[in-house]
Amino acid sequence: MIASIRGEVLTIALDHVVLEAAGVGYRINATPSTLGTLSRGSESRLLTTMIVREDSMTLYGFADGESRDLFSLLLTVSGVGPRIAMATLAVLDPNALRTALADSNITALTRVPGIGKRGAERMVVELRDKVDAIVGGGSATSLPSGAAGGNPVREQIVEALTGLGFALKQAEDATDAVLAAQPDASTSAALRSALASLGKSK
């Protein structure tokens, strides 16, 4: 099992990073907030979880142990796979997730694409008593904005949002609104803003 990888950041996309360690490039799926802490060419370390299936081996990366533990905890809920677990961590930071579970806030949980009312209720029942063991009262990691430009930006953001499970129209509307309000925003910053608006509006 690969528990962490340290190496040079070769590529940062909107849903993954490639880290080169000992001559091998590892593709690691990550949330926009984790990717926002990385910069191309620097040496970074990500904690990882490897999911092995019949037809694939996929690495998921996290900036801290709290997020990785929450990802593993989310996977224990029936009906929640890696994609929904990552979408949950993209929409709700650890403290917001803990609060939503503690308060049985179904509305907050159903903002995550792929989680309906029944799934949110199941999540509350199964995780409410377990999440406090993982999430302390720590503050969320602050994110530097990345650097990017051009207007393939819109396509990249829409693609990342639909990859997280949002409907195409939702993704396009949120992206257009963010780019109209923040025309000079970097791709990663615009993606985070679009995610924040989708999280509030559902």
Side-chain angles (χ1 to χ4, degrees), residues 22-99:
V24 178
Y26 295 90
R27 185 189 193 279
I28 306 169
N29 292 349
T31 62
S33 58
T34 296
L35 294 169
T37 66
L38 306 175
S39 57
R40 189 176 292 127
S42 66
E43 180 168 300
S44 294
R45 175 174 175 265
L46 286 179
L47 302 179
T48 56
T49 294
M50 189 163 81
I51 306 288
V52 179
R53 295 202 161 141
E54 272 184 37
D55 57 349
S56 66
M57 287 192 297
T58 309
L59 281 167
Y60 296 88
F62 309 91
D64 55 71
E66 186 177 75
S67 297
R68 181 175 65 180
D69 291 347
L70 275 175
F71 175 76
S72 298
L73 185 64
L74 286 164
L75 292 179
T76 66
V77 178
S78 55
V80 174
R83 180 171 151 168
I84 289 179
M86 289 300 277
T88 302
L89 294 176
V91 173
L92 299 168
D93 67 36
N95 283 315
L97 179 57
R98 179 184 62 175
T99 301

